[in-house]
């Protein structure tokens, strides 16, 4: 069971911290899986043992995307602050005596929110997830050396695209706008991410939680 495998990653020595990365295409269920694993670890080992820090908080703001002319590519690798994310992982690795604050992402606002999350000193496992954790681009490549394991979350394309459609409609796009964005942006991103699958430690699915 996945939960047992995650618990095996938790350091038994006080003061140590492990990082588990989950990657996969948009709407593969990464955030759902991460939240489930964190809750399960905390249920078994005590509250505060595990923390969740997604990559989504490092989306560039809409103002910056507009400045760069990238609003219609939101979600592509170049629309994230990769350096900021890598820096956060390094802090999580080295800082164990003070809280580490991290940005979150508000889907209703469609914007990052500064210091929306915190990892307390007692956390011995941090689960992070995002589209480009296994990407070969130099900006993202350091992630591989900063996580103990990197898992690829696999979900059928039709399931992912139904979720994406629902997500974009909820965000206020019309049906034609949502379908066009999935075709022109989300799908190319998904294909790029799928190419990294073989470089990950293992492949998992939401069904593996059962």
């Amino acid at each position: 069971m996945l939960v047992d495998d995650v618990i095996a990653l938790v350091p038994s020595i006080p003061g140590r911290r492990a990082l588990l990365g989950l990657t996969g295409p948009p709407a593969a269920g990464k955030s759902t899986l991460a939240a489930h694993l964190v809750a399960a670890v905390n249920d078994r080992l005590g509250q505060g043992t595990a923390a969740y820090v997604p990559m989504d908080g490092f989306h560039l703001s809409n103002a910056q995307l507009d400045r760069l002319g990238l609003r219609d590519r939101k979600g592509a690798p170049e629309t994230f602050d990769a350096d900021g994310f890598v820096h956060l992982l390094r802090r999580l690795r080295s800082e164990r005596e003070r809280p580490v604050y991290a940005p979150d992402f508000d889907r209703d606002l469609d914007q990052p929110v500064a210091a929306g999350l915190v990892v307390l000193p007692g956390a011995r496992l941090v689960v992070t997830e995002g589209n480009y954790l296994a990407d070969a681009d130099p900006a993202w490549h350091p992630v591989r050396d900063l996580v103990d394991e990197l898992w690829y979350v696999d979900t059928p394309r039709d399931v992912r695209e139904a979720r994406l459609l629902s997500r974009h409609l909820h965000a206020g796009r019309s049906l034609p706008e949502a379908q066009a964005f999935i075709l022109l942006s989300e799908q190319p991103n998904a294909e790029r991410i799928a190419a990294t699958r073989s470089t990950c430690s293992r492949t998992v699915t939401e069904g593996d939680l059962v």
Side-chain angles (χ1 to χ4, degrees), residues 25 45 49 72 116 126 129 139 149 153 164-165 179 182 201 209:
L45 301 183
T49 301
D72 63 345
V126 175
E129 53 85 9
E149 290 196 15
V153 183
L164 285 171
L165 185 61
Q179 291 172 327
I182 291 170
S201 310
L209 290 172

Side-chain angles (χ1 to χ4, degrees), residues 97-115:
E97 297 181 359
R98 300 172 60 191
V100 176
Y101 294 94
D104 199 1
F105 188 80
D106 188 315
R107 289 200 181 276
D108 290 329
L109 295 175
D110 198 32
Q111 293 267 35
V113 178

Side-chain angles (χ1 to χ4, degrees), residues 26 55 59 65 70-71 73-80 131-132 181 185-186 189 193:
M55 189 193 84
H59 270 284
L65 293 176
L70 292 172
R71 187 72 168 268
R73 292 284 294 128
K74 191 168 188 173
E78 63 272 22
T79 66
F80 289 88
N131 292 349
Y132 304 110
F181 190 81
S185 183
E186 301 278 26
N189 295 340
I193 296 159

